[in-house]
Each structure stands twice: as structure tokens, then as C-alpha cells.
Amino acid sequence: MPNKPLAALLCTALGAGLATGTTAGPLKTEAGAMTAEPVIEGLEMPWAFGFLPDGTVLVTEKDGRLLAVRDGERQEIGGLPKVRDEAQGGLLDLLVPRDFAEDRLLYMTYSKRQGFRGSGTAVYRARLSEDGTRLQDGETIFEIARGSGGGYHFGSRLVEAPDGALFVTIGDRGEGGLAQDLSMHNGSVLRITPEGATPEGNPFAGQDGALAEIWSYGHRNPQGAALDLNGDLWAVEHGAQGGDEVNRIEPGTNYGWPVISYGKNYDGTPIGEGTEAEGMAQPVHYWDPSIAPSGMTFYDGSVGDWRGNAFIGSLKYNYISRLAGEPLAEVERLENDDTLRVRDVRQGPDGALWFLSEGNGALYRITAAPGG
């Protein structure tokens, strides 16, 4: 079995008995007709997924479950932290590091109770047992400085940097002004070591009144982040009423929230000072009206027209956005009944594009349609 190609392992692990439903018909794309093949169904509020080297697929469910799908069966993994499941909070992102095979470490983000009523985004690290049934030696390696009431805007995507550091996206927790406060983690992208410490090179390390983990700030609620094919970090974040943004993340940069925005408050009133202000970065792309973006990946697979493109899920309009060009801009929408509330999008180790539909409670794999 160890000598099998990964694609064959995926077929073994994800085959008979898991996905018995039918697809919603082809996805019509500019690259030809595609099929969204259901791989895992019956999920409850899934948030993220990842792949182990042996072909096992891991899926987080917001209420605190981590599922492993292998050898035609699914199993709940034990040993998770106590998750505060409320509104947008819960067990959220999942990262399988590049060197997982060496030490079997996994990383997850979750909403952690802080104080009597508050909660905040935290990063949990644990070792997956050899039999794959439990997390061992688990510890919360990082949590934001102070929790907030209410269950909104946790951000919560994890990205492994080329140097092994971890990028963590943090939402403003519904307190927009704190996204401009460097003494708080709210509304920022963080850079930490795999142990939760501050690595060398962070832009605000050593600055009075600033938290050393902050890499960029002025974000509202970034629920998607990924490295492009050059290894550069990008993030996509929710605006208010309009103004969802795609940003190339640069260290020390202020992305403006809530001083500038291309959206409006939900009551129709203006946000901040308008769309531009000195010292604040402009988005590479924005949506108005909002699409509620979540999940992001850059494609490096076999569909030549897609190479280097970004793919982002839409929770509101039920599609996958394809962005291309310089600067990146939406050029196509992949949509059918399978793309209901797309929560996460990733490229699988088999080279295919995979996505997680919160609305259908299912994980899908996109392949060329027969005759497409």
C-alpha cells in the first residue's frame, strides 16, 4: 500500500459507501464541462478540510468535531480542545503541514472562551496518533489578547509560510475600531512560529504599544487566505454591505478597515472616510454587492487555463469565483446546485480542485465531465 500512487490511495479512502448521492449536473466552465463529484456527504456545518499523505481526508465541523475519512469509512477523532460553538465561532480551520509525515502534527483554529463572557480565536496544535483515532499532546499555542462578547468575525484561516511560520487571519470580532489598534490582535493577519512564538522579521516586534505577532492590520473578517504560485500571501475578507476585498498581504501594511471601505453599513450609512485614505492600502479586487467570501486557493493543476488563478467560495451567492489577470479580478463563476454556500476551496494532492459546501453538507471534487 505505501507504494500506491496518491491518486489511487484517494480512490481507496474515498470510494464505496461514502458518497451515494447524485451530482447536480455539469459545471459549465470556460475550460470545458466539469463534474462536481460528491466525495463525502452528511456533514454538519463543515468548515475546513485537509489531506494526509496516506490519502485520508480530514474535515472540521463547527460544533467541535474532527472527522477522518479513510478506507471507505469515516471516524470521529478524539482529543480536541473545548470549543465555544456560537454564531460564527466554533472549530474552524485545519492545517496539515508539509512535514506532517515526520512528526504527525496538525494545527487547527477555534473559538476559545476567554474570561466570563468573552471568546477569541485560538490556535491548537496536536499530534495525530499512529492509528489516526486521537489527537495527542494537544496544546493551545496561541490565542488573541482579549476576547469579545458576541459570536462574530473570528477570521480564522491558517497558512503555512515557505519558511515554516504560520499565518493566522483574525477578524475584528465585531469591534471595527480595534482593527486599527496595534495593541489588539483584532482585525489582523498574524505571523507566528509553529510553537506560537514571534518569529524574527515581524514588522511591529519591539514597537511600543504594538503586539509583536501582527503582520498586517485593518482587516474586517478575512475567512480566506492562501499562497500564490510565487509563495506570496493573499487574503479575502468580508466587507459590510458591499466591499468584500481581495488583498495581497504585505508586512506592516494597513488595509484600512473601518476607516476606508467600498461598502456601507447595514443601515445604508457611509463607513469611515470613504474609499481612500493616506497610508492605507487599496484592495486588489472588491465585490459590491458582497458575495460573502470564504476559502481561497491558487490553482497549480492540469487545467492549463486555470494555472495561477485564484478560486474563492461564495457563501451568499452559492458559487466559486475564479480570479485571473494582473491585477486579479473575477473572470468566471462556477456554479450549480452543488455549490451551495461554499465554505472552503483547496487543490487536492491529486491536482483536482476540491470544495466544501456548507449548504449541502458535502465535500466535492471537480473533474472533467465525460466528453467534456
Side-chain angles (χ1 to χ4, degrees):
M1 183 135 177
N3 296 321
K4 279 190 177 183
L6 184 53
L9 284 169
L10 284 166
C11 290
T12 299
L14 305 177
L18 286 179
T20 58
T22 58
T23 63
L27 279 167
K28 296 179 180 179
T29 79
E30 293 178 4
M34 304 281 179
T35 296
E37 172 191 359
V39 176
I40 309 170
E41 297 182 303
L43 300 171
E44 297 181 19
M45 293 295 289
W47 214 91
F49 65 100
F51 304 91
L52 300 187
D54 67 356
T56 299
V57 178
L58 303 179
V59 181
T60 62
E61 293 184 327
K62 195 175 79 68
D63 65 357
R65 284 189 296 272
L66 175 64
L67 302 178
V69 182
R70 63 170 73 85
D71 298 329
E73 298 180 358
R74 73 179 74 189
Q75 180 174 17
E76 185 174 344
I77 295 174
L80 272 76
K82 186 176 182 180
V83 170
R84 187 170 189 181
D85 177 25
E86 61 168 345
Q88 296 171 1
L91 181 63
L92 303 173
D93 206 15
L94 166 73
L95 171 66
V96 181
R98 294 185 296 270
D99 63 356
F100 171 84
E102 298 176 16
D103 53 24
R104 300 185 65 81
L105 287 176
L106 297 172
Y107 295 84
M108 284 159 282
T109 57
Y110 72 104
S111 53
K112 180 180 183 294
R113 182 180 292 276
Q114 295 176 308
F116 179 63
R117 299 183 64 183
S119 59
T121 306
V123 181
Y124 189 74
R125 182 181 70 170
R127 193 179 314 278
L128 183 63
S129 63
E130 289 294 336
D131 65 3
T133 63
R134 291 193 58 79
L135 298 180
Q136 300 172 329
D137 307 319
E139 60 175 329
T140 296
I141 62 169
F142 176 84
E143 60 185 272
I144 66 171
R146 176 177 66 81
S148 306
Y152 303 100
H153 300 182
F154 289 90
S156 220
R157 288 296 174 187
L158 282 166
V159 176
E160 184 179 16
D163 64 0
L166 303 179
F167 291 113
V168 190
T169 71
I170 308 294
D172 67 6
R173 295 294 284 107
E175 299 183 67
L178 295 184
Q180 293 294 316
D181 184 351
L182 291 173
S183 71
M184 300 292 292
H185 291 117
N186 300 47
S188 63
V189 174
L190 311 180
R191 178 173 174 259
I192 60 176
T193 70
E195 296 74 35
T198 302
E200 293 184 5
N202 278 14
F204 301 108
Q207 178 175 317
D208 288 344
L211 293 172
E213 299 88 359
I214 294 175
W215 187 252
S216 65
Y217 65 110
H219 301 283
R220 185 173 183 267
N221 190 25
Q223 285 193 342
L227 300 180
D228 66 16
L229 303 195
N230 296 319
D232 295 324
L233 180 67
W234 294 72
V236 58
E237 63 185 87
H238 292 253
Q241 187 168 289
D244 297 344
E245 295 184 1
V246 177
N247 288 298
R248 182 174 175 176
I249 304 301
E250 300 286 353
T253 299
N254 181 353
Y255 289 88
W257 177 258
V259 180
I260 60 173
S261 174
Y262 283 87
K264 296 180 180 180
N265 289 309
Y266 293 110
D267 63 3
T269 58
I271 294 173
E273 300 175 5
T275 58
E276 298 182 27
E278 185 176 354
M280 296 182 178
Q282 286 289 297
V284 174
H285 179 75
Y286 72 91
W287 287 273
D288 187 11
S290 296
I291 69 165
S294 185
M296 181 182 200
T297 196
F298 283 87
Y299 184 77
D300 188 22
S302 61
V303 181
D305 293 345
W306 288 0
R307 181 175 170 79
N309 292 183
F311 290 82
I312 295 169
S314 167
L315 295 165
K316 182 176 180 181
Y317 290 120
N318 305 320
Y319 69 91
I320 300 170
S321 174
R322 180 168 73 90
L323 292 87
E326 182 60 47
L328 279 179
E330 184 178 275
V331 295
E332 185 177 17
R333 296 182 172 188
L334 282 60
E335 56 187 323
N336 66 7
D337 290 344
D338 297 320
T339 59
L340 183 61
R341 286 188 61 82
V342 176
R343 174 59 74 178
D344 197 8
V345 185
R346 308 194 186 206
Q347 182 177 321
D350 58 350
L353 193 68
W354 296 56
F355 68 92
L356 196 58
S357 165
E358 178 186 290
N360 289 325
L363 177 66
Y364 296 88
R365 175 176 176 266
I366 296 177
T367 58

